[in-house]
Amino acid sequence: MNELIAQLLWNGLVAGSLLALVSLGLTLIYGVAGFVQFAHGELVALGAYSMLVFHKFLGFSFIPAGMAAIILVIIFGLIFERFFFRPVRDKNPMIPLVISIGLSIGLQAVLQMVFGPQIQTISNIRFESLSVGGLFLVTPSQIIAVCASFLLTGLLIFFLHKTRRGRSLRAVSDNRNLAQIFGMNPDVAMRWIFGLSAGLAAVAGIFLGFEQNLEPLMGVQISVTAFAAVILGSLGSVRGAILGAFVIGFSQNLLVGLGVVPSGFSVAIPFVVLIIMLLFLPSGIFGKKFELLRK
Amino acid sequence: MKNTYILLSALLICGCATTPFSTDISGSTSSPVVVSPPPIILEGDPVKIGAILPLSGGMATMGIELQKSLIAEVEFANERGGVLGDRPIEIIFEDGQCNAGIATEAAQKLIRVEKVSIILGGLCSPETLGAAPLAEKNKVVLLTSVSGAASISYAGDFVFRNAPEGNTNGKIMAEYADKEEFEKVVLLSEISDFPMSVADAFHSEFSGEIIEEKFAPGVTDFKTIIAKVKEVEGDALFFNPQQNQSFVLFMKQLREAQWEGPLMFNNTVVGNPALYKDISEFMVSNTSVAGSYDVVSNKMQEDLLERFEDRWDREALFQHLLANQHDSLALIIQAIDTVKDETDTEGIRDYLYAVRDFTGASGTFSIDVDGDAGKSYELVRFDGKAFAPLKK
């Protein structure tokens, strides 16, 4: 039983770490741009497929391939911002939201056209699982994913709080007009936010690709779960997104693994948590006191 | 709060919108794919036949393979004179995405817009069961060559199945588990029509203890279920998916969890070497056995596979499924030629119910009162490259 609980806790940590990277991107865009970027999941998928192209097809080793994939996805994020979202930035928030849904469906179709519907693996190298104290098994890619997630999350919080650029992003998020009066450029803020979000999505996609392989619709499930995590923590809150991701990651694994809910119900858990939150704490966990980016 | 509601509404829209798009064989997003008849001497109006297959999503590899085979077979049939003397066959493909709701829409389009009176498919049981009520209501003949759910037998007078029923798959696996003297088997099933039929039969036939777990379609993270399954310490694990992509993900994570013990599978996982590429050693070391279509090799089947290879410049995957589909098309052509009118669906229906000892690429079969061809499964074991019959 101890082994089972240890394994479930580790699985929850891995799931929460990957989910946090995706949730952070969503919450950053919402915080600054004021709408939900539904094509964010497809940027996750794009990260994974870019890694496939650079590593498996073009023969780059892991780190250069990962860097190239992240840069490519950031470029896509910036293109999205410049050509699809900036022109409608000051319009009704439903407009960018609908555009993002269209982008999401379009990117799924493109991935399917280019790579086919079948599952792909990023690497032919087989990573053996390692036993931790005889209690639970971990794979090298899981360890790297968890470490990378914690590192990036820490760096992001540091960036937002301790750097001039980060503080200006928060200022734009707080009150765009006032920030403009003080000389801050909202276009630059938007570029930074879309670039950062795309980069985080790419990292999540690369690790998700190692963890679960690649298929064109791989971004859908994680992005929908990330939406739940973001709402759970409170829309626009960085700390809320991180907490929401780990609450969902751990609850999915522990509730199913310990038999509290049937396995077939696991995909519904984030939404049950979400409904409970909306009923009893509609502003999310950090809705009132701890909103970092947006009130 | 207002924004939260906007987000939730959008989530719903996105959930509905992310799934449906049709693809042609090269994968492009488009309206239904039409295989135009070749420019030969057939001068009559084409006889339109609909086909519902999963052309995108988790079963697309299998669906596209069946689509390619059907294209090759229709071209071959048209070269040999088509139907009703001088009329070419035209197949209109719709993407069912292995989903009942999408398949209902596909059937609606085929029946209302394309005015077909015969539909081949679906591939997944949810597709066939999704299309069946519309087919029945509109007196359109629906003939599946793959779907195994038990309920298809009772889906209507116009609904036929040229494939084994899923419950016989469950039965043969239960017999195998009993023969191997497994006392406790962990049964892990996808929540979908075909795996549920297999699971029901396994429950009623297996004499040992069954620990059952289920997972929802689209699940990609099996680690927690695997941790739970390992804790149970069963004598064997029976993985029973609807979609073969679940198999790839599950097996990768099962290997990482260092599973040791016999593995059992349903028919879904058989027939595509790409599925076993990275896990073949693991499958061999854990004695992987599945229930697969009992197809006896014959000349007609060899010709069918050769035509596929000539048409698409590669060997066919899922060869055991293609034979059934070939025979379904042959039956339909015979039925139309016999009743002399493709819109006389009651005549075609009666012709199909009267089929006895039909010999085709999949062997010899008859159609029973439930519209089933009464085919069977056989046990196959993974030999390092593919699943091969345990007997014969």
Side-chain angles (χ1 to χ4, degrees):
Chain A
M1 193 63 181
N2 287 344
E3 288 89 344
L4 176 65
I5 292 173
Q7 186 68 59
L8 295 175
L9 287 171
W10 173 253
N11 292 350
L13 187 67
V14 175
S17 302
L18 291 175
L19 200 55
L21 292 174
V22 185
S23 308
L24 278 171
L26 279 175
T27 213
L28 284 175
I29 292 178
Y30 182 83
V32 172
F35 72 93
V36 175
Q37 216 287 66
F38 270 88
H40 197 64
E42 279 55 54
L43 290 178
V44 174
L46 202 60
Y49 276 100
S50 304
M51 182 71 184
L52 174 82
V53 170
F54 288 117
H55 174 63
K56 199 168 182 177
F57 299 164
L58 299 180
F60 289 24
S61 58
F62 281 124
I63 293 174
M67 296 308 291
I70 292 166
I71 291 167
L72 185 70
V73 178
I74 289 174
I75 292 170
F76 266 90
L78 295 175
I79 290 172
F80 282 6
E81 188 276 324
R82 177 65 188 85
F83 295 103
F84 296 104
F85 297 119
R86 194 187 297 180
V88 296
R89 197 176 60 203
D90 297 321
K91 306 247 165 64
N92 183 323
M94 281 303 283
I95 296 173
L97 192 138
V98 171
I99 288 175
S100 72
I101 292 173
L103 277 174
S104 163
I105 297 167
L107 279 172
Q108 287 168 21
V110 169
L111 287 175
Q112 181 151 297
M113 268 195 295
V114 176
F115 297 100
Q118 69 277 15
I119 283 188
Q120 311 249 15
T121 48
I122 288 179
S123 171
N124 293 330
I125 299 168
R126 184 175 150 185
F127 298 102
E128 293 296 339
S129 302
L130 314 163
S131 174
V132 179
L135 271 179
F136 61 97
L137 295 169
V138 301
T139 61
S141 68
Q142 288 173 345
I143 297 170
I144 300 169
V146 170
C147 293
S149 172
F150 276 85
L151 180 69
L152 288 172
T153 305
L155 285 174
L156 181 74
I157 291 173
F158 177 83
F159 170 77
L160 289 172
H161 282 268
K162 303 291 179 192
T163 66
R164 189 181 167 80
R165 175 66 64 196
R167 282 197 290 266
S168 77
L169 293 180
R170 289 168 56 209
V172 172
S173 154
D174 232 16
N175 189 327
R176 193 187 299 164
N177 294 332
L178 199 60
Q180 256 179 308
I181 291 167
F182 280 94
M184 291 164 201
N185 185 342
D187 287 347
V188 175
M190 289 282 277
R191 270 203 297 275
W192 269 91
I193 286 299
F194 271 85
L196 278 173
S197 303
L200 292 171
V203 175
I206 290 167
F207 288 118
L208 200 66
F210 279 109
E211 191 65 5
Q212 298 173 8
N213 293 343
L214 282 64
E215 55 105 7
L217 304 183
M218 65 182 288
V220 176
Q221 184 68 44
I222 194 160
S223 65
V224 170
T225 311
F227 287 129
V230 167
I231 295 174
L232 178 64
S234 156
L235 274 165
S237 162
V238 168
R239 279 184 242 186
I242 298 166
L243 184 72
F246 283 101
V247 167
I248 286 177
F250 281 113
S251 58
Q252 264 187 319
N253 281 279
L254 289 169
L255 293 175
V256 171
L258 297 175
V260 180
V261 297
S263 306
F265 196 68
S266 67
V267 287
I269 289 172
F271 301 99
V272 173
V273 174
L274 186 65
I275 291 166
I276 293 169
M277 284 301 297
L278 285 172
L279 286 174
F280 297 104
L281 200 58
S283 302
I285 296 170
F286 289 136
K288 299 258 156 99
K289 292 181 183 172
F290 300 103
E291 270 194 0
L292 191 68
L293 281 174
R294 188 177 179 83
K295 281 181 185 164
Chain B
M1 193 58 193
K2 187 183 164 194
N3 290 327
T4 305
Y5 288 125
I6 291 174
L7 170 65
L8 287 174
S9 318
L11 259 174
L12 281 174
I13 296 166
C14 200
C16 301
T18 47
T19 37
F21 52 82
S22 319
T23 56
D24 67 13
I25 50 165
S26 61
S28 64
T29 306
S30 67
S31 356
V33 181
V34 176
V35 180
S36 302
I40 55 169
I41 317 140
L42 299 177
E43 286 172 348
D45 291 336
V47 170
K48 286 183 177 180
I49 296 175
I52 299 175
L53 295 168
L55 304 176
S56 61
M59 285 294 275
T61 311
M62 195 183 274
I64 289 172
E65 203 69 358
L66 262 75
Q67 183 189 39
K68 288 187 169 185
S69 177
L70 200 49
I71 289 169
E73 289 312 297
V74 166
E75 286 173 355
F76 178 67
N78 284 337
E79 282 163 17
R80 293 171 53 134
V83 279
L84 299 171
D86 67 342
R87 296 178 63 188
I89 300 164
E90 183 181 333
I91 300 275
I92 299 158
F93 290 100
E94 278 292 330
D95 184 2
Q97 296 183 29
C98 209
N99 175 298
I102 307 284
T104 307
E105 288 171 22
Q108 184 94 276
K109 201 166 168 187
L110 288 171
I111 295 168
R112 300 253 187 273
V113 181
E114 302 293 344
K115 310 280 183 204
V116 304
S117 45
I118 299 153
I119 297 175
L120 295 174
L123 187 157
C124 304
S125 296
E127 288 177 334
T128 305
L129 289 167
L134 268 178
E136 188 66 15
K137 189 179 163 196
N138 293 282
K139 296 187 176 177
V140 166
V141 172
L142 179 69
L143 172 55
T144 175
S145 308
V146 185
S147 304
S151 48
I152 290 170
S153 300
Y154 317 106
D157 259 3
F158 285 84
V159 181
F160 294 86
R161 168 171 32 206
N162 177 23
E165 291 176 50
N167 48 14
T168 54
N169 196 326
K171 191 177 168 200
I172 195 175
M173 296 314 290
E175 286 167 1
Y176 168 74
D178 278 334
K179 191 174 156 248
E180 293 294 311
E181 298 178 349
F182 297 146
E183 288 176 5
K184 185 167 33 171
V185 171
V186 181
L187 173 60
L188 181 53
S189 302
E190 187 165 347
I191 303 169
S192 191
D193 300 287
F194 172 67
M196 290 300 106
S197 296
V198 175
D200 287 346
F202 192 75
H203 270 288
S204 38
E205 299 291 332
F206 179 51
S207 58
E209 185 188 354
I210 299 170
I211 309 291
E212 189 168 24
E213 289 288 334
K214 293 175 184 168
F215 61 95
V219 164
T220 53
D221 187 350
F222 291 96
K223 290 193 295 293
T224 298
I225 296 177
I226 290 169
K228 219 171 149 182
V229 161
K230 280 183 78 178
E231 187 77 4
V232 168
E233 295 182 349
D235 297 322
L237 170 58
F238 182 5
F239 185 62
N240 180 27
Q242 172 76 60
Q243 308 202 17
N244 54 28
Q245 296 213 352
S246 304
F247 166 78
V248 178
L249 293 169
F250 176 76
M251 291 300 283
K252 176 183 182 291
Q253 292 168 40
L254 191 67
R255 189 188 64 195
E256 285 172 358
Q258 299 180 353
W259 169 269
E260 285 175 7
L263 296 169
M264 297 156 62
F265 304 98
N266 69 25
N267 164 65
T268 313
V269 313
V270 178
N272 181 3
L275 295 177
Y276 328 121
K277 200 173 56 184
D278 299 325
I279 49 169
S280 56
E281 270 176 49
F282 175 70
M283 286 177 70
V284 170
S285 65
N286 287 296
T287 318
S288 302
V289 171
S292 178
Y293 286 12
D294 190 359
V295 179
V296 182
S297 185
N298 59 37
K299 177 77 171 62
M300 218 181 285
Q301 196 187 124
E302 286 165 15
D303 291 345
L304 154 78
L305 298 175
E306 205 177 303
R307 282 194 295 276
F308 186 102
E309 209 167 328
D310 289 346
R311 178 65 174 81
W312 302 107
D313 287 330
R314 65 164 173 81
E315 203 177 327
L317 306 173
F318 307 109
Q319 297 185 354
H320 59 301
L321 305 181
L322 303 189
N324 276 356
Q325 185 179 251
H326 165 277
D327 293 348
S328 296
L329 181 66
L331 273 176
I332 291 297
I333 291 173
Q334 277 192 13
I336 295 172
D337 277 334
T338 304
V339 301
K340 303 201 183 310
D341 179 3
E342 82 275 16
T343 60
D344 178 8
T345 54
E346 288 179 346
I348 294 169
R349 175 198 62 186
D350 295 342
Y351 177 88
L352 291 177
Y353 276 118
V355 167
R356 295 289 176 273
D357 298 327
F358 178 90
T359 300
S362 63
T364 300
F365 61 91
S366 303
I367 291 182
D368 66 17
V369 289
D370 294 325
D372 282 321
K375 293 183 168 177
S376 57
Y377 287 93
E378 64 173 341
L379 287 172
V380 289
R381 182 166 54 202
F382 187 71
D383 64 8
K385 283 185 179 169
F387 280 96
L390 270 174
K391 292 182 278 185
K392 291 183 187 173

